[in-house]
Amino acid sequence: LEKHGAVHEVASLYVYLSECYLELGRLSAARKAAESALRRANDSNNLRATIRSRIALGRLEVAEHRPDAADAQWREARGLADKASDVALQFEAELLRYRLALRAYKRATARSIEKRLIRWIPALPPNFPVVVEFKELVPTSKSASRRVSSPQQ
């Protein structure tokens, strides 16, 4: 593919390959694929693939029990998604950080992220997988339900 001018597609394929290796528990292979994806994405100035690579690297850091490194990858992904004005990738990166904060019992951080996620919900399809996942994570209290279904309040 690279010989035919599709370098940006190669980066995306490496991200997908990394995700597959991670699912299989092959962490070393997942890291090599994610790092290759990041290099190719940067070389081809493919911002979306760079963001996806950072997200994949963050997931790998979690699998390797390095939550701070994961958070750093996802913060970088979020910053790049901000530059790209890509709400879907902003949401995905922040959702991963939200889950991480919940697991670490960092309530203030989780609440801050939750507020951003709620603000972005109207910009995404209601059946978008990360939106559905977020709604399942939000506390089921009456006030939380109102916040998620009606973000303007």
Side-chain angles (χ1 to χ4, degrees):
L1 283 173
E2 288 179 85
K3 291 180 183 177
H4 299 288
V7 175
H8 62 283
E9 291 175 17
V10 172
S12 296
L13 289 171
Y14 272 101
V15 169
Y16 179 71
L17 185 60
S18 173
E19 292 168 351
C20 292
Y21 280 134
L22 184 58
E23 275 296 311
L24 294 171
R26 296 185 56 196
L27 303 184
S28 178
R31 179 165 298 281
K32 286 179 186 173
E35 289 172 350
S36 291
L38 184 59
R39 271 193 311 280
R40 284 170 170 77
N42 287 334
D43 290 349
S44 65
N45 295 316
N46 183 343
L47 190 54
R48 187 165 169 71
T50 300
I51 297 164
R52 300 286 317 144
S53 299
R54 293 280 179 195
I55 288 172
L57 284 165
R59 287 188 170 122
L60 182 62
E61 298 294 356
V62 167
E64 293 177 338
H65 309 288
R66 290 192 293 263
D68 291 340
D71 189 60
Q73 290 288 353
W74 295 332
R75 280 178 183 266
E76 180 68 19
R78 160 70 199 287
L80 294 170
D82 288 349
K83 287 180 186 176
S85 300
D86 190 321
V87 177
L89 287 174
Q90 288 170 321
F91 195 95
E92 184 176 354
E94 285 295 277
L95 178 59
L96 290 163
R97 294 189 61 234
Y98 179 68
R99 289 173 49 201
L100 193 64
L102 289 176
R103 275 189 245 132
Y105 300 102
K106 295 180 178 179
R107 290 190 177 127
T109 300
R111 182 68 184 119
S112 174
I113 295 169
E114 181 182 303
K115 287 178 182 178
R116 281 192 296 278
L117 292 168
I118 289 169
R119 278 197 313 267
W120 288 329
I121 286 176
L124 298 167
N127 60 346
F128 196 58
V130 290
V131 171
V132 172
E133 181 182 347
F134 172 65
K135 287 180 178 180
E136 290 171 356
L137 287 173
V138 173
T140 57
S141 70
K142 201 174 199 180
S143 61
S145 296
R146 279 197 306 267
R147 288 194 314 265
V148 170
S149 60
S150 174
Q152 288 75 18
Q153 291 181 340

